[in-house]
mmCIF file of all heavy atoms in Angstrom:
data_model
loop_
_atom_site.group_PDB
_atom_site.id
_atom_site.type_symbol
_atom_site.label_atom_id
_atom_site.label_comp_id
_atom_site.label_asym_id
_atom_site.label_seq_id
_atom_site.Cartn_x
_atom_site.Cartn_y
_atom_site.Cartn_z
ATOM 1 N N ILE A 36 24.281 35.782 11.749
ATOM 2 C CA ILE A 36 23.913 36.402 10.482
ATOM 3 C C ILE A 36 24.961 37.418 10.082
ATOM 4 O O ILE A 36 25.280 38.322 10.857
ATOM 5 C CB ILE A 36 22.538 37.081 10.596
ATOM 6 C CG1 ILE A 36 21.452 36.054 10.915
ATOM 7 C CG2 ILE A 36 22.213 37.840 9.317
ATOM 8 C CD1 ILE A 36 20.128 36.665 11.294
ATOM 9 N N PHE A 37 25.467 37.269 8.874
ATOM 10 C CA PHE A 37 26.322 38.301 8.306
ATOM 11 C C PHE A 37 25.476 39.406 7.698
ATOM 12 O O PHE A 37 25.691 40.585 7.962
ATOM 13 C CB PHE A 37 27.263 37.710 7.255
ATOM 14 C CG PHE A 37 28.369 36.856 7.804
ATOM 15 C CD1 PHE A 37 29.116 36.043 6.963
ATOM 16 C CD2 PHE A 37 28.686 36.868 9.150
ATOM 17 C CE1 PHE A 37 30.146 35.260 7.460
ATOM 18 C CE2 PHE A 37 29.709 36.084 9.659
ATOM 19 C CZ PHE A 37 30.442 35.278 8.803
ATOM 20 N N SER A 38 24.523 39.015 6.875
ATOM 21 C CA SER A 38 23.618 39.968 6.264
ATOM 22 C C SER A 38 22.407 39.224 5.728
ATOM 23 O O SER A 38 22.471 38.035 5.440
ATOM 24 C CB SER A 38 24.301 40.754 5.134
ATOM 25 O OG SER A 38 24.717 39.894 4.093
ATOM 26 N N ILE A 39 21.310 39.947 5.586
ATOM 27 C CA ILE A 39 20.093 39.395 5.016
ATOM 28 C C ILE A 39 19.882 40.012 3.644
ATOM 29 O O ILE A 39 19.783 41.230 3.519
ATOM 30 C CB ILE A 39 18.879 39.659 5.916
ATOM 31 C CG1 ILE A 39 19.102 39.033 7.292
ATOM 32 C CG2 ILE A 39 17.610 39.114 5.269
ATOM 33 C CD1 ILE A 39 17.979 39.294 8.271
ATOM 34 N N HIS A 40 19.810 39.159 2.637
ATOM 35 C CA HIS A 40 19.698 39.652 1.270
ATOM 36 C C HIS A 40 18.253 39.858 0.849
ATOM 37 O O HIS A 40 17.899 40.916 0.363
ATOM 38 C CB HIS A 40 20.418 38.693 0.319
ATOM 39 C CG HIS A 40 21.892 38.639 0.558
ATOM 40 N ND1 HIS A 40 22.776 39.456 -0.116
ATOM 41 C CD2 HIS A 40 22.635 37.892 1.409
ATOM 42 C CE1 HIS A 40 24.009 39.205 0.299
ATOM 43 N NE2 HIS A 40 23.944 38.260 1.234
ATOM 44 N N THR A 41 17.440 38.841 1.012
ATOM 45 C CA THR A 41 16.031 38.967 0.686
ATOM 46 C C THR A 41 15.190 38.402 1.822
ATOM 47 O O THR A 41 15.594 37.471 2.510
ATOM 48 C CB THR A 41 15.659 38.238 -0.618
ATOM 49 O OG1 THR A 41 15.811 36.824 -0.449
ATOM 50 C CG2 THR A 41 16.532 38.708 -1.768
ATOM 51 N N MET A 42 14.018 38.969 1.998
ATOM 52 C CA MET A 42 13.044 38.442 2.943
ATOM 53 C C MET A 42 11.682 38.479 2.262
ATOM 54 O O MET A 42 11.403 39.387 1.474
ATOM 55 C CB MET A 42 13.001 39.249 4.237
ATOM 56 C CG MET A 42 14.323 39.281 4.985
ATOM 57 S SD MET A 42 14.200 40.021 6.644
ATOM 58 C CE MET A 42 13.561 38.619 7.579
ATOM 59 N N GLY A 43 10.873 37.492 2.568
ATOM 60 C CA GLY A 43 9.584 37.449 1.928
ATOM 61 C C GLY A 43 8.573 36.634 2.697
ATOM 62 O O GLY A 43 8.881 36.021 3.719
ATOM 63 N N TRP A 44 7.359 36.659 2.166
ATOM 64 C CA TRP A 44 6.248 35.923 2.746
ATOM 65 C C TRP A 44 5.640 35.013 1.701
ATOM 66 O O TRP A 44 5.389 35.438 0.560
ATOM 67 C CB TRP A 44 5.175 36.867 3.279
ATOM 68 C CG TRP A 44 5.618 37.657 4.468
ATOM 69 C CD1 TRP A 44 6.179 38.894 4.468
ATOM 70 C CD2 TRP A 44 5.540 37.240 5.828
ATOM 71 N NE1 TRP A 44 6.453 39.287 5.750
ATOM 72 C CE2 TRP A 44 6.070 38.291 6.605
ATOM 73 C CE3 TRP A 44 5.071 36.093 6.471
ATOM 74 C CZ2 TRP A 44 6.145 38.219 7.996
ATOM 75 C CZ3 TRP A 44 5.149 36.023 7.847
ATOM 76 C CH2 TRP A 44 5.680 37.079 8.597
ATOM 77 N N TYR A 45 5.421 33.770 2.085
ATOM 78 C CA TYR A 45 4.696 32.800 1.293
ATOM 79 C C TYR A 45 3.454 32.385 2.068
ATOM 80 O O TYR A 45 3.373 32.571 3.276
ATOM 81 C CB TYR A 45 5.549 31.570 1.004
ATOM 82 C CG TYR A 45 6.707 31.810 0.054
ATOM 83 C CD1 TYR A 45 7.816 32.549 0.446
ATOM 84 C CD2 TYR A 45 6.687 31.286 -1.233
ATOM 85 C CE1 TYR A 45 8.875 32.761 -0.418
ATOM 86 C CE2 TYR A 45 7.745 31.493 -2.106
ATOM 87 C CZ TYR A 45 8.830 32.229 -1.689
ATOM 88 O OH TYR A 45 9.886 32.430 -2.552
ATOM 89 N N ARG A 46 2.499 31.803 1.366
ATOM 90 C CA ARG A 46 1.325 31.291 2.058
ATOM 91 C C ARG A 46 0.865 29.995 1.414
ATOM 92 O O ARG A 46 1.121 29.741 0.243
ATOM 93 C CB ARG A 46 0.183 32.310 2.065
ATOM 94 C CG ARG A 46 -0.432 32.604 0.708
ATOM 95 C CD ARG A 46 -1.453 33.731 0.821
ATOM 96 N NE ARG A 46 -2.080 34.034 -0.452
ATOM 97 C CZ ARG A 46 -2.899 35.051 -0.658
ATOM 98 N NH1 ARG A 46 -3.192 35.877 0.339
ATOM 99 N NH2 ARG A 46 -3.439 35.257 -1.863
ATOM 100 N N GLN A 47 0.184 29.189 2.217
ATOM 101 C CA GLN A 47 -0.326 27.920 1.741
ATOM 102 C C GLN A 47 -1.673 27.649 2.377
ATOM 103 O O GLN A 47 -1.795 27.604 3.601
ATOM 104 C CB GLN A 47 0.644 26.776 2.054
ATOM 105 C CG GLN A 47 0.250 25.456 1.428
ATOM 106 C CD GLN A 47 1.373 24.438 1.479
ATOM 107 O OE1 GLN A 47 2.265 24.520 2.319
ATOM 108 N NE2 GLN A 47 1.336 23.483 0.571
ATOM 109 N N ALA A 48 -2.675 27.493 1.535
ATOM 110 C CA ALA A 48 -4.008 27.124 1.971
ATOM 111 C C ALA A 48 -4.188 25.624 1.789
ATOM 112 O O ALA A 48 -3.505 25.007 0.962
ATOM 113 C CB ALA A 48 -5.061 27.895 1.182
ATOM 114 N N PRO A 49 -5.115 25.006 2.534
ATOM 115 C CA PRO A 49 -5.342 23.563 2.386
ATOM 116 C C PRO A 49 -5.653 23.188 0.944
ATOM 117 O O PRO A 49 -6.483 23.819 0.285
ATOM 118 C CB PRO A 49 -6.537 23.305 3.298
ATOM 119 C CG PRO A 49 -6.457 24.374 4.332
ATOM 120 C CD PRO A 49 -5.956 25.584 3.592
ATOM 121 N N GLY A 50 -4.967 22.169 0.451
ATOM 122 C CA GLY A 50 -5.176 21.711 -0.907
ATOM 123 C C GLY A 50 -4.527 22.557 -1.973
ATOM 124 O O GLY A 50 -4.707 22.277 -3.168
ATOM 125 N N LYS A 51 -3.786 23.572 -1.574
ATOM 126 C CA LYS A 51 -3.133 24.464 -2.525
ATOM 127 C C LYS A 51 -1.620 24.397 -2.374
ATOM 128 O O LYS A 51 -1.097 24.011 -1.334
ATOM 129 C CB LYS A 51 -3.597 25.910 -2.317
ATOM 130 C CG LYS A 51 -5.095 26.121 -2.412
ATOM 131 C CD LYS A 51 -5.594 25.928 -3.826
ATOM 132 C CE LYS A 51 -7.075 26.260 -3.923
ATOM 133 N NZ LYS A 51 -7.579 26.085 -5.308
ATOM 134 N N GLN A 52 -0.925 24.773 -3.430
ATOM 135 C CA GLN A 52 0.525 24.871 -3.366
ATOM 136 C C GLN A 52 0.941 26.132 -2.624
ATOM 137 O O GLN A 52 0.213 27.128 -2.599
ATOM 138 C CB GLN A 52 1.124 24.888 -4.774
ATOM 139 C CG GLN A 52 1.051 23.571 -5.511
ATOM 140 C CD GLN A 52 1.821 23.612 -6.807
ATOM 141 O OE1 GLN A 52 1.618 24.500 -7.630
ATOM 142 N NE2 GLN A 52 2.722 22.659 -6.991
ATOM 143 N N ARG A 53 2.114 26.069 -2.024
ATOM 144 C CA ARG A 53 2.659 27.258 -1.404
ATOM 145 C C ARG A 53 2.989 28.284 -2.485
ATOM 146 O O ARG A 53 3.569 27.946 -3.522
ATOM 147 C CB ARG A 53 3.911 26.903 -0.602
ATOM 148 C CG ARG A 53 4.453 28.049 0.226
ATOM 149 C CD ARG A 53 5.590 27.595 1.137
ATOM 150 N NE ARG A 53 5.157 26.574 2.082
ATOM 151 C CZ ARG A 53 5.907 26.117 3.076
ATOM 152 N NH1 ARG A 53 7.135 26.596 3.264
ATOM 153 N NH2 ARG A 53 5.436 25.174 3.878
ATOM 154 N N GLU A 54 2.616 29.524 -2.240
ATOM 155 C CA GLU A 54 2.816 30.562 -3.229
ATOM 156 C C GLU A 54 3.486 31.783 -2.612
ATOM 157 O O GLU A 54 3.312 32.081 -1.432
ATOM 158 C CB GLU A 54 1.482 30.982 -3.857
ATOM 159 C CG GLU A 54 0.510 31.623 -2.882
ATOM 160 C CD GLU A 54 -0.744 32.157 -3.543
ATOM 161 O OE1 GLU A 54 -0.805 32.199 -4.782
ATOM 162 O OE2 GLU A 54 -1.684 32.532 -2.804
ATOM 163 N N LEU A 55 4.228 32.477 -3.430
ATOM 164 C CA LEU A 55 4.857 33.716 -3.010
ATOM 165 C C LEU A 55 3.797 34.796 -2.872
ATOM 166 O O LEU A 55 2.995 35.018 -3.776
ATOM 167 C CB LEU A 55 5.917 34.151 -4.019
ATOM 168 C CG LEU A 55 6.579 35.506 -3.761
ATOM 169 C CD1 LEU A 55 7.445 35.459 -2.505
ATOM 170 C CD2 LEU A 55 7.411 35.935 -4.968
ATOM 171 N N VAL A 56 3.813 35.475 -1.739
ATOM 172 C CA VAL A 56 2.924 36.600 -1.498
ATOM 173 C C VAL A 56 3.639 37.911 -1.794
ATOM 174 O O VAL A 56 3.146 38.759 -2.544
ATOM 175 C CB VAL A 56 2.392 36.599 -0.060
ATOM 176 C CG1 VAL A 56 1.514 37.820 0.202
ATOM 177 C CG2 VAL A 56 1.623 35.317 0.220
ATOM 178 N N ALA A 57 4.786 38.096 -1.186
ATOM 179 C CA ALA A 57 5.557 39.319 -1.363
ATOM 180 C C ALA A 57 6.999 39.059 -0.987
ATOM 181 O O ALA A 57 7.294 38.194 -0.165
ATOM 182 C CB ALA A 57 4.984 40.462 -0.516
ATOM 183 N N ARG A 58 7.880 39.837 -1.582
ATOM 184 C CA ARG A 58 9.300 39.699 -1.316
ATOM 185 C C ARG A 58 9.954 41.064 -1.386
ATOM 186 O O ARG A 58 9.581 41.901 -2.215
ATOM 187 C CB ARG A 58 9.927 38.740 -2.337
ATOM 188 C CG ARG A 58 11.409 38.498 -2.175
ATOM 189 C CD ARG A 58 11.846 37.368 -3.084
ATOM 190 N NE ARG A 58 11.514 37.643 -4.480
ATOM 191 C CZ ARG A 58 11.494 36.723 -5.443
ATOM 192 N NH1 ARG A 58 11.787 35.454 -5.147
ATOM 193 N NH2 ARG A 58 11.188 37.049 -6.676
ATOM 194 N N ILE A 59 10.933 41.286 -0.525
ATOM 195 C CA ILE A 59 11.686 42.529 -0.540
ATOM 196 C C ILE A 59 13.167 42.183 -0.550
ATOM 197 O O ILE A 59 13.627 41.332 0.201
ATOM 198 C CB ILE A 59 11.305 43.441 0.646
ATOM 199 C CG1 ILE A 59 12.016 44.792 0.541
ATOM 200 C CG2 ILE A 59 11.581 42.767 1.988
ATOM 201 C CD1 ILE A 59 11.407 45.853 1.447
ATOM 202 N N ILE A 60 13.909 42.843 -1.426
ATOM 203 C CA ILE A 60 15.317 42.544 -1.613
ATOM 204 C C ILE A 60 16.182 43.688 -1.072
ATOM 205 O O ILE A 60 15.682 44.745 -0.694
ATOM 206 C CB ILE A 60 15.647 42.292 -3.098
ATOM 207 C CG1 ILE A 60 15.371 43.531 -3.947
ATOM 208 C CG2 ILE A 60 14.850 41.109 -3.619
ATOM 209 C CD1 ILE A 60 15.756 43.370 -5.405
ATOM 210 N N SER A 61 17.470 43.419 -1.032
ATOM 211 C CA SER A 61 18.411 44.453 -0.626
ATOM 212 C C SER A 61 18.247 45.669 -1.527
ATOM 213 O O SER A 61 18.170 45.551 -2.744
ATOM 214 C CB SER A 61 19.844 43.937 -0.710
ATOM 215 O OG SER A 61 20.037 42.832 0.144
ATOM 216 N N GLY A 62 18.187 46.822 -0.913
ATOM 217 C CA GLY A 62 17.974 48.044 -1.663
ATOM 218 C C GLY A 62 16.528 48.481 -1.705
ATOM 219 O O GLY A 62 16.232 49.598 -2.133
ATOM 220 N N GLY A 63 15.623 47.599 -1.279
ATOM 221 C CA GLY A 63 14.236 47.981 -1.141
ATOM 222 C C GLY A 63 13.295 47.557 -2.242
ATOM 223 O O GLY A 63 12.092 47.812 -2.154
ATOM 224 N N GLY A 64 13.799 46.917 -3.282
ATOM 225 C CA GLY A 64 12.924 46.458 -4.345
ATOM 226 C C GLY A 64 11.942 45.411 -3.852
ATOM 227 O O GLY A 64 12.268 44.584 -3.001
ATOM 228 N N THR A 65 10.736 45.429 -4.388
ATOM 229 C CA THR A 65 9.682 44.529 -3.929
ATOM 230 C C THR A 65 9.015 43.809 -5.084
ATOM 231 O O THR A 65 9.019 44.277 -6.229
ATOM 232 C CB THR A 65 8.605 45.278 -3.130
ATOM 233 O OG1 THR A 65 8.038 46.310 -3.946
ATOM 234 C CG2 THR A 65 9.195 45.898 -1.877
ATOM 235 N N ASN A 66 8.429 42.653 -4.763
ATOM 236 C CA ASN A 66 7.600 41.897 -5.679
ATOM 237 C C ASN A 66 6.360 41.436 -4.933
ATOM 238 O O ASN A 66 6.444 41.052 -3.767
ATOM 239 C CB ASN A 66 8.338 40.676 -6.236
ATOM 240 C CG ASN A 66 9.558 41.028 -7.043
ATOM 241 O OD1 ASN A 66 10.690 40.885 -6.572
ATOM 242 N ND2 ASN A 66 9.341 41.487 -8.271
ATOM 243 N N TYR A 67 5.224 41.469 -5.623
ATOM 244 C CA TYR A 67 3.963 41.047 -5.027
ATOM 245 C C TYR A 67 3.231 40.098 -5.957
ATOM 246 O O TYR A 67 3.291 40.225 -7.182
ATOM 247 C CB TYR A 67 3.046 42.240 -4.768
ATOM 248 C CG TYR A 67 3.545 43.201 -3.727
ATOM 249 C CD1 TYR A 67 4.300 44.311 -4.084
ATOM 250 C CD2 TYR A 67 3.250 43.011 -2.381
ATOM 251 C CE1 TYR A 67 4.748 45.200 -3.131
ATOM 252 C CE2 TYR A 67 3.699 43.902 -1.421
ATOM 253 C CZ TYR A 67 4.448 44.996 -1.804
ATOM 254 O OH TYR A 67 4.892 45.876 -0.847
ATOM 255 N N ALA A 68 2.514 39.162 -5.355
ATOM 256 C CA ALA A 68 1.580 38.369 -6.128
ATOM 257 C C ALA A 68 0.461 39.269 -6.633
ATOM 258 O O ALA A 68 0.057 40.223 -5.959
ATOM 259 C CB ALA A 68 0.996 37.248 -5.269
#
């Protein structure tokens, strides 16, 4: 690994599409479902 730019969590329930739960980017910015 040189560097990690973004890391996040997705989830998938039976019969459902995988969806973004939360994400954190370089510098600390975040996104949430």
Side-chain angles (χ1 to χ4, degrees):
I36 298 169
F37 288 167
S38 62
I39 301 177
H40 295 268
T41 67
M42 300 189 81
W44 292 93
Y45 291 71
R46 67 186 181 187
Q47 187 167 24
K51 303 291 185 180
Q52 289 188 307
R53 187 173 299 188
E54 64 174 351
L55 175 68
V56 177
R58 180 170 57 196
I59 185 164
I60 62 176
S61 299
T65 58
N66 298 104
Y67 294 93

